[in-house]
Amino acid sequence: PAMRVDVVTIFPDYLAPLDLSLIGKAREDGLLDVRVHDLRDFTHDRHRTVDDTPYGGGAGMVMKPQPWSEALDHVLAQDNPSGAKPRLVVPGPGGQPFTQALARELAREPWLAFACGRYEGIDERVYDHAREDLGLEVSVVSLGDYVLNGGEVAVLAMVEAVGRLVPGVIGNAESLVEESHEDGLLEYPIYTKPSSWNGREVPPVLLSGNHGAIAEWRHAQRLARTAARRPDLLHASHATDGRDVEISA
Ligand SMILES: NCc1ccc(-c2ccccc2)nc1
């Protein structure tokens, strides 16, 4: 069964990359049903106004609640005779961290709706309305502690991270296992032909055919890389054997 993904944004063209390559093919194959909605289609004034000044003062503008309410009503009503509900995901710098674990969780949902904020964000009553009146589960999700100009770029990243986990989207060619963050360690260095390039050799163990030694070397590299670059990811279960391992920066 396809996963349905709705995205509401004032910049629908920003989501055009979802028509390309992997996600695009998954859409053709009917594995992903991605629909992009222009928030301005749910305004009724001549200027298609979606924002206004913040109560309480402060810089910037706030997204008005009414267009969002009508956009969400449209999403919920479109091709939805059973009255099913999507999980609403709102990218924002103040959200819970987006992790591979959350991507896996979202990949199990039959229907996701993404709300792309712009300006300083969306009127808080939209979140309350979605939860209390529309009965939606609403998750505010952050891709990292930095501020973008809007949620569209974050949605592209999340749809790619989640979409590729939907069964059938990734062929067997692209392996899904042993990826960074799949089991909490960063990935090991990888090499391909030629074995000698630019005066630089591929680590001999990888040409040895000794699969036990290769697996050992790779695990040691993952531990060392994680210790060097992401010590926050290391925990007790990743006990090293104490031997030092040379790694690239
Ligand atoms: N964590 C990345 C991220 C996601 C969304 C936004 C954002 C900025 C302005 C308005 C609405 C959302 N910023 C950063």
Side-chain angles (χ1 to χ4, degrees):
M3 171 191 279
R4 179 171 161 187
V5 175
D6 286 275
V7 186
V8 180
T9 168
I10 60 171
F11 291 124
D13 293 350
Y14 238 102
L15 281 298
L18 293 179
D19 298 332
L20 303 177
S21 79
L22 196 73
I23 301 297
K25 184 168 182 323
R27 293 174 77 172
E28 282 165 29
D29 296 349
L31 289 168
L32 289 177
D33 171 10
V34 180
R35 308 172 187 209
V36 180
H37 311 270
D38 185 341
L39 183 66
R40 293 194 195 275
D41 290 347
F42 304 95
T43 60
H44 308 289
D45 62 306
R46 175 165 28 155
H47 299 290
R48 294 162 56 93
T49 309
V50 292
D51 65 315
D52 204 334
T53 54
Y55 278 115
M61 301 290 272
V62 179
M63 298 190 103
K64 295 166 59 69
Q66 184 58 27
W68 277 106
S69 173
E70 294 187 25
L72 289 174
D73 284 346
H74 174 78
V75 165
L76 293 179
Q78 196 182 48
D79 299 337
N80 184 21
S82 72
K85 307 268 187 193
R87 178 160 175 182
L88 182 60
V89 178
V90 187
Q96 68 179 90
F98 185 62
T99 60
Q100 192 63 17
L102 181 53
R104 280 196 292 269
E105 182 185 319
L106 295 178
R108 288 194 290 271
E109 296 282 350
W111 187 4
L112 297 175
F114 290 92
C116 298
R118 279 267 151 178
Y119 308 104
E120 301 312 306
I122 305 170
D123 186 300
E124 189 64 20
R125 289 168 293 181
V126 174
Y127 298 86
D128 303 329
H129 170 67
R131 289 188 178 104
E132 296 162 21
D133 307 330
L134 301 181
L136 302 183
E137 180 180 354
V138 182
S139 307
V140 181
V141 177
S142 164
L143 299 194
D145 296 335
Y146 51 87
V147 182
L148 299 168
N149 290 324
E152 286 79 8
V153 165
V155 167
L156 283 174
M158 286 193 274
V159 171
E160 179 163 322
V162 171
R164 63 192 295 280
L165 296 177
V166 172
V169 172
I170 288 265
N172 294 332
E174 301 94 332
S175 83
L176 278 178
V177 190
E178 281 194 50
E179 284 187 334
S180 279
H181 305 290
E182 269 303 327
D183 62 0
L185 288 177
L186 302 187
E187 74 280 13
Y188 49 76
I190 53 175
Y191 303 83
T192 186
K193 295 189 283 298
S195 65
S196 179
W197 172 79
N198 220 21
R200 298 176 184 282
E201 311 302 312
V202 169
V205 66
L206 298 179
L207 285 73
S208 70
N210 179 341
H211 299 291
I214 291 169
E216 183 58 40
W217 180 88
R218 285 175 165 175
H219 188 69
Q221 288 290 320
R222 295 183 72 200
L223 278 175
R225 267 191 168 186
T226 307
R229 298 181 190 171
R230 291 294 306 275
D232 59 296
L233 290 179
L234 271 186
H235 47 71
S237 73
H238 292 127
T240 63
D241 60 11
R243 282 178 290 164
D244 287 343
V245 176
E246 191 62 36
I247 60 161
S248 60

